[in-house]
Amino acid sequence: MKTPDSKGYFGEFGGKFIPETLTRCLKELESSFNFLKKDKSFNKELSFYLKEYAHRPTSLYFAKNLSKRVNLKVYLKREDLLHTGAHKINNTLGQALLARYMHKKRVIAETGAGQHGVATATVAALFGFQCDVYMGKVDIERQSMNVFRMQILGSKVIPVISGSQTLKDACSEAIRDWVANVENTYYLLGSVVGPHPYPLIVRYFQTVIGKEVKRQIRDKERRLPDYLVACVGGGSNAIGLFHPFFDDKKVKFIGVEAAGYGLNNKNAASLIKGKTGVLHGAKSLILQDKYGQISEAHSVAAGLDYPGVGPEHAFYKVTKRAEYVAVTDKEAIQGFKLLSKTEGIIPALESSHAVAYLKKLGRRAPGSIVVLCLSGRGDKDLDIVKAWEK
Ligand SMILES: *Cc1c(COP(=O)(O)O)cnc(C)c1O
């Protein structure tokens, strides 16, 4: 089955739940994307920047020491080695090129922890866009280093003081800006979320991960893996790894969400604890209270701290194409240390959730061949882990 359908639906999820004023923006984006993804010079230029600027292809590394510890044969897809330290650059490079081919002069973005903001500010500097990044005031205070990074890169960070002053409010403000300035402005969204065609566009740019893995694992093992494992925030690194294997039914997908911690009952496991609803223009599984109000998410990993999830994951969940599990903050910290100590690789706290799940998988299915998406490096998280020790 080809997903999404022409209206942007993955089964019952996805679509476009948007104010009338956005229709034109999304139509323009969709037709440009459909044209450019087949355009030779666009794809040639994208390949050039992925290779020479971002440093693709990333290696598929057999983690021998870790494998012994978890009773599996684990390969790490090293997205942590990319420029800016995570998979996000695959998407921001792709969309920035899209914006350039659409003759836009300005890009805007939303950001929570600031990682997507930094990846956007990076490509804005590279391609010479004016760039404004919307960020909740609370997040600005929590993530001052990323704010400074964006400024150094020449972007402006606009504080959002409405609502809970976090990511979901920043999204709403960015959309408002886009509607008012669509003539010259491109809205660069950070994950496989939002109204159609964003989940499709971001998937297109992130599937470079899974396509490379397919080639690399065939070279190394002469067969496909038993499991693909990735952490899920909005879901872009996971979809990027999973999607190219969609029709390979023997390859099982495991998405690892953030269970947060039980203390205040807050978590970020939208697929496990969420209910069907609409957030930021798409129908998906969303954390909400019994009145349908969006709940605040919590995770020790800032990049997983989002109350929604991409509609394609909701579709994989209900059709059982993928299995979703949750890992607590505490387990994620253990995963962080495990990979650091066994392989000399310090993972992002987001990716550490996926690492942490390997122990359980090793008990369930010992000896399996597993590809884990190491979505980012952990230098950015050292302060958090240090504070955790106390
Ligand atoms: C942002 C981020 C994530 C979560 O985003 P997805 O869209 O779910 O991939 C995961 N890992 C890292 C390192 C990130 O920066």
Side-chain angles (χ1 to χ4, degrees):
M1 184 175 39
K2 196 174 171 301
T3 60
D5 68 15
S6 62
K7 294 210 161 79
Y9 277 90
F10 302 85
E12 65 182 290
F13 302 105
K16 280 185 212 176
F17 294 79
I18 50 161
E20 188 66 33
T21 46
L22 260 185
T23 313
R24 196 167 59 101
C25 309
L26 291 169
K27 275 260 151 65
E28 185 201 13
L29 176 61
E30 188 176 355
S31 58
S32 303
F33 172 69
N34 283 333
F35 174 78
L36 287 170
K37 74 177 186 202
K38 294 188 205 111
D39 183 75
K40 242 192 176 152
S41 70
F42 176 82
N43 283 301
K44 204 172 148 202
E45 218 174 335
L46 178 60
S47 305
F48 169 82
Y49 283 106
L50 287 175
K51 177 164 180 269
E52 306 286 339
Y53 186 75
H55 214 71
R56 300 210 72 92
T58 58
S59 61
L60 184 70
Y61 165 70
F62 173 52
K64 196 172 162 191
N65 305 329
L66 176 68
S67 293
K68 269 195 199 130
R69 285 287 291 275
V70 296
N71 218 357
L72 296 163
K73 200 163 183 189
V74 183
Y75 286 88
L76 302 175
K77 182 57 173 164
R78 298 289 309 273
E79 299 296 293
D80 61 313
L81 296 176
L82 289 172
H83 178 48
T84 69
H87 69 292
K88 286 192 169 73
I89 195 81
N90 302 326
N91 173 48
T92 55
L93 265 180
Q95 287 199 60
L97 264 186
L98 201 57
R100 204 173 75 182
Y101 275 71
M102 288 170 75
H103 308 293
K104 305 291 181 187
K105 299 275 178 274
R106 173 177 178 253
V107 298
I108 56 171
E110 81 297 333
T111 197
Q115 287 148 239
H116 173 57
V118 170
T120 303
T122 301
V123 295
L126 174 65
F127 293 128
F129 291 112
Q130 184 200 334
C131 176
D132 292 330
V133 179
Y134 286 91
M135 188 167 184
K137 193 164 159 280
V138 170
D139 289 332
I140 287 180
E141 283 154 17
R142 282 195 291 211
Q143 304 285 342
S144 61
M145 268 312 176
N146 275 342
V147 174
F148 189 55
R149 268 190 198 105
M150 288 183 257
Q151 289 164 342
I152 290 283
L153 291 162
S155 290
K156 197 165 116 199
V157 179
I158 303 179
V160 175
I161 50 168
S162 55
S164 58
Q165 312 191 343
T166 58
L167 178 59
K168 67 182 165 60
D169 314 290
C171 283
S172 311
E173 280 307 310
I175 288 172
R176 223 162 282 156
D177 181 320
W178 195 30
V179 171
N181 300 297
V182 64
E183 266 349 299
N184 74 342
T185 299
Y186 182 93
Y187 177 24
L188 209 164
L189 212 130
S191 189
V192 285
V193 299
H196 179 66
Y198 278 109
L200 175 64
I201 291 177
V202 179
R203 180 180 85 189
Y204 180 80
F205 293 127
Q206 290 293 3
T207 45
V208 66
I209 301 173
K211 285 177 188 160
E212 284 177 9
V213 165
K214 211 168 197 178
R215 238 188 10 248
Q216 293 167 318
I217 195 76
R218 277 188 173 133
D219 275 351
K220 290 174 198 286
E221 289 286 339
R222 310 262 154 236
R223 70 162 174 104
L224 296 182
D226 301 305
Y227 289 92
L228 301 177
V229 181
C231 65
V232 177
S236 68
N237 85 88
I239 283 295
L241 175 65
F242 296 171
H243 184 76
F245 293 86
F246 185 83
D247 291 323
D248 302 301
K249 299 292 179 206
K250 282 191 180 154
V251 181
K252 299 181 203 70
F253 304 165
I254 299 182
V256 185
E257 296 197 282
Y261 62 119
L263 268 176
N264 61 359
N265 242 338
K266 279 185 189 162
N267 66 85
S270 324
L271 288 155
I272 294 168
K273 303 233 166 154
K275 296 202 172 55
T276 302
V278 170
L279 178 64
H280 298 129
K283 191 191 264 194
S284 189
L285 292 168
I286 292 153
L287 293 175
Q288 47 194 309
D289 66 18
K290 62 181 176 197
Y291 307 107
Q293 289 289 336
I294 308 302
S295 311
E296 230 177 284
H298 165 79
S299 167
V300 68
L304 303 184
D305 208 339
Y306 180 65
V309 65
E312 188 161 0
H313 284 291
F315 172 68
Y316 285 8
K317 162 100 199 269
V318 301
T319 56
K320 300 196 161 64
R321 179 63 187 90
E323 178 187 358
Y324 294 91
V325 298
V327 155
T328 63
D329 288 353
K330 195 175 159 197
E331 292 169 319
I333 300 266
Q334 287 164 358
F336 179 93
K337 291 182 181 166
L338 177 65
L339 188 61
S340 301
K341 295 222 165 90
T342 55
E343 297 289 347
I345 298 170
I346 302 178
L349 275 174
E350 292 84 2
S351 328
S352 301
H353 284 72
V355 174
Y357 188 71
L358 292 179
K359 277 196 169 167
K360 290 180 196 171
L361 186 58
R363 287 196 288 271
R364 264 174 62 180
S368 300
I369 296 178
V370 177
V371 174
L372 181 142
C373 187
L374 198 64
S375 54
R377 65 168 185 239
D379 309 54
K380 67 181 179 61
D381 296 317
L382 291 174
D383 283 342
I384 298 171
V385 176
K386 196 172 170 193
W388 189 275
E389 305 280 83
K390 292 206 187 110

